[in-house]
Amino acid sequence: MFNTVLIANRGEIALRVARTCRELGVRTVVVHSTADRESAAVRFADEAVQIGPPAASRSYLNVPAIIEAAVRTGAEAIHPGYGFLAEDPDFAEICEKHGITFVGPPPEVMANLGDKAVARALMAKAGLPVLPGSHGTLSSCAEAREVAKEIGYPVIIKAAAGGGGRGMAVVWEPQDFRRLYNQTCAHARAVFGDDRVYVERFVEAARHVEVQVLCDRHGAAVHLGERDCSVQRRHQKLLEETPAPGLPPELTAQICDAAVRGALAVGFVGAGTFEFLVDEHNNFYFIEVNCRIQVEHPVTEMVTGIDLVREQLRIAANAPLGYGQEQVVTRGAAVECRVNAEDPERDFAPTPGVLSRFWPPGGPFTRVDTQAYPGWRIPPQYDSLLAKVVVWAPDRDQALDRMDRALGEFEIAGVHTTLGFLRDVLAQPLFRDAKHTTSLAEQMLSERFPDTR
């Protein structure tokens, strides 16, 4: 195991990684911007290094500053968390050149899977089902329109370098195609520095199901079950749970097996997530791979008892998994709600500010991952995630009741939050009956604000 790990991230995930490192007896270095000098992760770490001003481009994306901090503090490994540099193959390669272990897949694997069009082709070759669509990226709007015409509307245009729910547009009618194609390309160029796109059929009434996998450097791979992430707004997840409710066990078993098969086919190493869509006829289709720890990883930890960050570090240190698929046992049900500093009454606009009160819930089988505390100023430069509330129970109904209790117990003042909206989701009959799809949140908002949707 490593002696010192540098955590190249911020917020709750930086604190989450630091806690596991401390349990392992590993010294931690947290890099931070000037906006985060009083953060919980900085306070918790063994050492903190300020690397730049609030703007992420000059701090958390400042590769030279991060590498310099790692070399100066004697860090043998860098854990990137999620977001920022977590899926940047160039950063991983730079780490290797400096003799620093990047906690994640090899650079070439990340490069292949980070290109969504390439990943789609690789998974199709490995035998995973993919949605009808283009074979690779498209060179022009005319070519893309021909693909859309061939597969039939609605279609979705996706940025090859996209991720995090960004860089995609659904096209319902042919007359809208050119406008949305140009819009997606421009967005992809601005956000990802890469305007390549591809097209595939859009599944409207779909469930979003993902599979957590772990792969060591010795050819062993397991899955840790599936998660349902269907409650989302504009492709941003709001609530996740495991196991995926309302799906036949034989279907989820097939999806999990497909994820492991895909991981082995591309030489995946570390913790990753294979994402799928499930249509109304229970057909499933591969959509993408996330080469990092997921925001929603705690629900998997709750049902398996496996610390995913610990496994990431062990794998990065070249340790074998030490267990096979038959040793992975899931128990009960777990649910996670993302509490964001956003105002649902104003189209979920971020609400940075000072927390005058912050009282997280407690009680049995209730976990809160957060970087917040009373008096903390939420900076406007970063993601609005404030806390993740995670609960476990023997079955889904009890887990949902426990989550509702926990959200009702959560006291936050000083900023607007999504607590009320999340409780509304829990009360939705479609959700309680596990008959919801990815359109649930938008349907709720359309009913709530009929004149603005």
Side-chain angles (χ1 to χ4, degrees):
M1 183 52 67
F2 310 107
N3 292 313
T4 302
V5 170
L6 182 142
I7 302 168
N9 216 295
R10 65 175 300 278
E12 66 86 16
I13 191 59
L15 182 58
R16 163 75 187 88
V17 174
R19 282 172 166 155
T20 286
C21 286
R22 181 161 295 180
E23 291 175 9
L24 290 169
V26 175
R27 180 173 170 271
T28 55
V29 177
V30 167
V31 294
H32 65 92
S33 70
T34 54
D36 282 330
R37 61 166 62 98
E38 296 299 323
S39 71
V42 167
R43 294 181 177 188
F44 185 87
D46 296 299
E47 185 175 354
V49 179
Q50 185 171 297
I51 55 170
S57 61
R58 299 175 63 191
S59 54
Y60 296 107
L61 295 173
N62 186 344
V63 173
I66 293 171
I67 295 296
E68 181 185 350
V71 172
R72 180 157 55 86
T73 58
E76 301 148 293
I78 292 180
H79 194 301
Y82 53 70
F84 296 131
L85 298 169
E87 294 179 283
D88 188 328
D90 293 334
F91 178 61
E93 191 170 348
I94 291 169
C95 289
E96 286 188 1
K97 288 180 179 178
H98 284 81
I100 300 168
T101 300
F102 177 83
V103 181
E108 62 275 13
V109 173
M110 273 202 296
N112 283 334
L113 297 179
D115 185 312
K116 309 305 180 188
V118 172
R120 171 185 160 91
L122 288 172
M123 292 304 121
K125 185 178 179 181
L128 276 66
V130 298
L131 287 162
S134 57
H135 302 291
T137 54
L138 300 158
S139 59
S140 67
C141 181
E143 183 183 8
R145 290 185 74 164
E146 283 301 310
V147 173
K149 181 180 178 181
E150 182 180 341
I151 64 178
Y153 287 85
V155 299
I156 185 165
I157 305 170
K158 293 185 175 182
R166 297 180 298 171
M168 57 183 75
V170 178
V171 187
W172 295 92
E173 301 293 342
Q175 59 266 29
D176 298 325
F177 191 91
R178 179 175 293 277
R179 174 178 59 85
L180 292 172
Y181 174 89
N182 291 334
Q183 179 180 302
T184 305
C185 289
H187 179 82
R189 188 184 308 113
V191 175
F192 308 113
D194 184 343
D195 63 359
R196 295 174 305 124
V197 299
Y198 64 101
V199 173
E200 64 185 21
R201 179 178 294 161
F202 177 68
V203 182
E204 183 178 5
R207 294 275 292 278
H208 189 146
V209 177
E210 62 185 27
V211 179
Q212 179 71 61
V213 298
L214 288 174
C215 307
D216 66 19
R217 298 180 185 274
H218 308 280
V222 297
H223 69 78
L224 305 185
E226 83 285 354
R227 299 184 288 249
D228 187 291
C229 307
S230 300
V231 180
Q232 48 188 259
R233 174 183 172 270
R234 296 179 183 170
H235 309 293
Q236 296 289 324
K237 299 166 186 173
L238 304 175
L239 179 153
E240 300 95 353
E241 60 180 309
T242 185
L247 296 181
E250 58 272 18
L251 173 62
T252 55
Q254 290 174 21
I255 297 173
C256 289
D257 289 344
V260 172
R261 189 166 69 251
L264 290 172
V266 297
F268 193 88
V269 173
T273 303
F274 281 65
E275 305 207 0
F276 300 86
L277 288 180
V278 180
D279 69 16
E280 57 188 334
H281 304 296
N282 284 342
N283 299 307
F284 70 95
Y285 306 95
F286 166 83
I287 48 175
E288 66 179 24
V289 183
N290 289 292
C291 301
R292 53 172 166 79
I293 196 79
Q294 292 278 90
V295 178
E296 59 271 21
H297 76 272
V299 293
T300 295
E301 293 181 330
M302 296 287 263
V303 299
T304 62
I306 294 174
D307 181 335
L308 284 169
V309 173
R310 182 178 185 273
E311 294 305 298
Q312 282 188 296
L313 293 168
R314 290 184 66 256
I315 290 168
N318 206 34
L321 278 179
Y323 49 86
Q325 192 63 62
E326 63 278 1
Q327 278 80 48
V328 178
V329 179
T330 60
R331 295 182 175 87
V335 183
E336 174 181 300
C337 282
R338 304 188 190 190
V339 181
N340 295 331
E342 298 172 350
D343 186 358
E345 301 292 322
R346 294 189 297 121
D347 200 27
F348 288 78
T351 59
V354 177
L355 293 172
S356 57
R357 183 167 178 79
F358 189 82
W359 190 269
F365 307 105
T366 302
R367 164 180 169 178
V368 180
D369 285 15
T370 184
Q371 75 277 23
Y373 55 86
W376 181 61
R377 178 179 293 277
I378 302 171
Q381 294 88 359
Y382 311 118
D383 184 86
S384 57
L385 179 64
L386 189 57
K388 302 184 319 196
V389 181
V390 192
V391 301
W392 178 92
D395 58 52
R396 183 176 188 257
D397 285 343
Q398 291 184 65
L400 296 181
D401 291 342
R402 179 162 286 153
M403 177 60 77
D404 186 60
R405 185 272 303 163
L407 295 178
E409 187 180 324
F410 211 152
E411 296 182 25
I412 303 174
V415 300
H416 293 280
T417 75
T418 54
L419 280 170
F421 184 78
L422 291 167
R423 295 191 75 185
D424 289 345
V425 171
L426 294 175
Q428 280 289 315
L430 279 176
F431 176 75
R432 296 293 299 210
D433 294 339
K435 298 184 182 301
H436 60 294
T437 68
T438 52
S439 63
L440 175 68
E442 294 298 342
Q443 290 171 357
M444 290 173 58
L445 291 167
S446 295
E447 294 170 2
R448 193 168 176 174
F449 307 110
D451 297 330
T452 59
R453 306 310 296 175

